[in-house]
Amino acid sequence: GAEPDSAAAAAEEEAAAVRDGEDVTSAEWRQHRKHIFVLSEAGKPIYSRHGSEEALSSIMGVMLALVSFVQASRNAIRSIHTGTHVVVFLQRGPLVLVAVSRSRQSEQQLAQELQYVYSQILSVLTATQLNRVFQTKQSYDLRRLLAGTERFLDSLLDLMETDPCFLLSAVRCLPLPGSLRDSVSQSLQQAKDKDLVFSVILAKNHLVSMVRLKEQSLHPADLHLLLNLVSASRTSFSEGEVWLPICLPQFNPSGFFYAHVSYLDDACNLCLLLLCADREAFFTASDCRRRALERMRRQDALSGVLAALGSDSYSVAQTGIPDLRHFMYKCRSTSQFTSPELEAPYCSAESRQRLFDLYQQLHGRVHNASRPLKLIYHVRQQETLLAWVTSGFELYTCFSPLVTKAAAINAITKLLRWIKKEEERLFIMNPLTY
């Protein structure tokens, strides 16, 4: 309904106001687990995750001085490690992005998060426009062009704290019977038009279905920007059909797609995005939506997907492996991943954060650029973790602390068999094309 949505919008605005009004000289401000700063090469503040950019201009000045100092000796600063913090720098075009973190993420993981922040800025401007404004005027205040879009950066950074899709560079599919997903995909496929490049249905940060033009594919990082767009705009998209430009930098950093965005249900859970190359194609896209929706209703596919959305995705108990508490499995050929609901003992926000931190550490060690590992067995007081990476998949598992190594290896063999048996439901195996 409208009321909860307007309440959510008000809460979002309030949170943003609190963040901007935060006293950047206070101990509380310094206690944040992670800070993200974006500035121009001229030292102009563009964005700060906590506190207003204005109040932070002197800190950003110091950051720029560090970058320039190292640049003067024909080098580039990548990171600074202190006893408690890691500071990571990323230079992209005319922008300098900085992460200051107390979390135990690796330098590579923090650099990847900064790359996402840069991509989010490009999604609003394109690389062409970004470079042009700074070529014209080096001291340009980019906030004028980004005004109103800061919430997308806030939302993206919030998502990255809890959603493993960014860490894994993969997309999570909504578990659905294969025949139901096929019916949805065929509805999108048959409602095609010459202007359409991609049709995507998203629900609660999951991919439901995607149909694409032959020869074209969407990189997971671009799909994550679409997920974030929907996640951050739920209130504004619930009004009706929206038409907006969006740059997907992995596909083409220099140009815009035009996205027709609408919800397919009254509760605003199921979101359809139709991406077109032509800025004049709104009515064409709107007609494609009408035809796809009609067919989905006729075949009871819409009600089937909504029913699946209403229930939990799946429980780890379904695997039939007693000591297994949770897992994340990524199929590398499709860049899709699956994981069960988080259940006891990971019910509180703190315990979930702790598990996610552990997964991040395993991922960081497995993908360490100088010493990558294939297998890690990590015994802790509260749980035992096992990570295994092959050319075909990445698997991160969490067991009760009393499991033996032999039992854990045996459990993984069973789990892989279970995933293979369930793959039609958990993944989009053969995406359709127009």
Side-chain angles (χ1 to χ4, degrees):
E3 286 161 21
D5 276 355
S6 51
E12 264 173 40
E13 276 172 30
E14 196 176 321
V18 167
R19 189 197 74 235
D20 285 348
E22 216 175 324
D23 176 6
V24 301
T25 59
S26 69
E28 286 80 15
W29 182 81
R30 285 198 295 277
Q31 285 307 311
H32 286 295
R33 249 169 68 109
K34 194 188 297 170
H35 288 273
I36 302 285
F37 306 101
V38 183
L39 53 149
S40 72
E41 280 182 316
K44 279 263 193 245
I46 294 167
Y47 173 80
S48 165
R49 178 76 181 96
H50 304 289
S52 82
E53 310 81 42
E54 282 301 320
L56 290 161
S57 53
S58 59
I59 290 179
M60 294 201 191
V62 172
M63 290 172 178
L64 189 71
L66 287 167
V67 170
S68 308
F69 179 72
V70 176
Q71 242 170 9
S73 57
R74 303 215 166 157
N75 218 323
I77 188 165
R78 284 213 308 259
S79 64
I80 300 170
H81 295 255
T82 72
T84 51
H85 289 75
V86 179
V87 184
V88 174
F89 296 82
L90 186 73
Q91 286 178 264
R92 287 288 179 266
L95 304 186
V96 177
L97 302 98
V98 186
V100 181
S101 172
R102 287 191 302 122
S103 73
R104 293 175 63 181
Q105 285 171 277
S106 70
E107 191 181 314
Q108 279 163 284
Q109 288 168 346
L110 290 166
Q112 187 183 334
E113 289 192 1
L114 292 176
Q115 178 63 46
Y116 267 111
V117 170
Y118 176 65
S119 295
Q120 177 57 55
I121 291 171
L122 289 191
S123 76
V124 177
L125 297 176
T126 74
T128 312
Q129 190 182 4
L130 177 67
N131 293 325
R132 193 187 302 129
V133 294
F134 284 108
Q135 275 160 7
T136 311
K137 186 183 178 191
Q138 211 186 352
S139 62
Y140 186 80
D141 185 350
L142 196 65
R143 288 175 304 172
R144 284 163 44 191
L145 281 181
L146 291 175
T149 65
E150 299 89 350
R151 68 193 169 109
F152 293 109
L153 289 166
D154 293 345
S155 160
L156 180 77
L157 290 164
D158 283 344
L159 275 176
M160 283 199 268
E161 289 300 308
T162 54
D163 194 324
C165 70
F166 299 93
L167 176 71
L168 296 174
S169 302
V171 180
R172 190 190 326 223
C173 298
L174 183 75
L176 286 177
S179 56
L180 176 57
R181 198 184 314 270
D182 288 347
S183 177
V184 172
S185 300
Q186 283 158 11
S187 300
L188 293 180
Q189 186 189 37
Q190 291 192 7
K192 66 180 178 188
D193 184 89
K194 64 174 180 19
D195 290 324
L196 268 185
V197 187
F198 297 103
S199 303
V200 182
I201 297 182
L202 302 173
K204 293 183 177 173
N205 294 347
H206 288 62
L207 177 62
V208 177
S209 171
M210 180 163 80
V211 182
R212 58 195 172 81
L213 206 56
K214 269 195 186 71
E215 313 299 319
Q216 307 294 356
S217 63
L218 260 190
H219 191 280
D222 284 343
L223 257 170
H224 294 156
L225 292 178
L226 294 178
L227 280 174
N228 184 50
L229 172 75
V230 172
S231 180
S233 316
R234 197 170 159 197
T235 40
S236 42
F237 289 166
S238 60
E239 303 299 315
E241 298 176 35
V242 177
W243 184 244
L244 54 89
I246 183 167
C247 167
L248 298 176
Q250 296 287 341
F251 187 88
N252 173 14
S254 308
F256 282 119
F257 272 118
Y258 294 87
H260 179 282
V261 189
S262 63
Y263 280 101
L264 301 179
D265 63 319
D266 295 336
C268 297
N269 286 323
L270 209 55
C271 188
L272 172 65
L273 297 103
L274 301 170
L275 299 179
C276 306
D278 179 4
R279 66 189 311 166
E280 305 299 331
F282 173 82
F283 294 105
T284 309
S286 185
D287 186 57
C288 291
R289 174 194 187 271
R290 183 188 55 76
R291 284 183 288 144
L293 190 55
E294 267 175 22
R295 190 178 188 274
M296 275 189 256
R297 284 199 174 119
R298 216 172 37 243
Q299 303 206 337
D300 283 337
L302 188 65
S303 52
V305 174
L306 292 173
L309 258 183
S311 59
D312 284 347
S313 92
Y314 63 95
S315 164
V316 72
Q318 288 177 27
T319 63
I321 302 165
D323 284 315
L324 185 63
R325 287 180 176 177
H326 191 259
F327 68 88
M328 301 191 304
Y329 171 92
K330 173 187 172 180
C331 169
R332 294 178 88 160
S333 62
T334 60
S335 294
Q336 295 170 20
F337 85 100
T338 186
S339 66
E341 296 281 334
L342 279 161
E343 297 167 294
Y346 305 105
C347 297
S348 69
E350 292 77 20
S351 59
R352 289 179 176 194
Q353 183 68 62
R354 194 174 60 77
L355 179 62
F356 189 47
D357 288 351
L358 289 170
Y359 279 150
Q360 277 184 329
Q361 285 168 44
L362 283 182
H363 180 277
R365 287 175 64 188
V366 162
H367 293 281
N368 184 319
S370 52
R371 264 189 62 207
L373 300 169
K374 290 268 184 278
L375 189 73
I376 298 175
Y377 182 70
H378 185 42
V379 182
R380 296 175 55 87
Q381 198 178 348
Q382 288 166 280
E383 53 269 301
T384 291
L385 296 133
L386 200 155
W388 185 23
V389 175
T390 71
S391 57
F393 65 81
E394 291 181 28
L395 179 62
Y396 304 87
T397 53
C398 173
F399 293 94
S400 65
L402 301 173
V403 74
T404 62
K405 193 184 280 188
I409 300 281
N410 185 30
I412 278 185
T413 312
K414 263 176 139 170
L415 176 60
L416 291 171
R417 268 203 302 266
W418 182 84
I419 291 168
K420 182 74 188 149
K421 185 170 86 20
E422 295 287 329
E423 67 181 7
E424 283 278 301
R425 183 169 72 100
L426 301 176
F427 302 109
I428 298 176
M429 300 308 293
N430 306 301
L432 296 182
T433 56
Y434 298 124

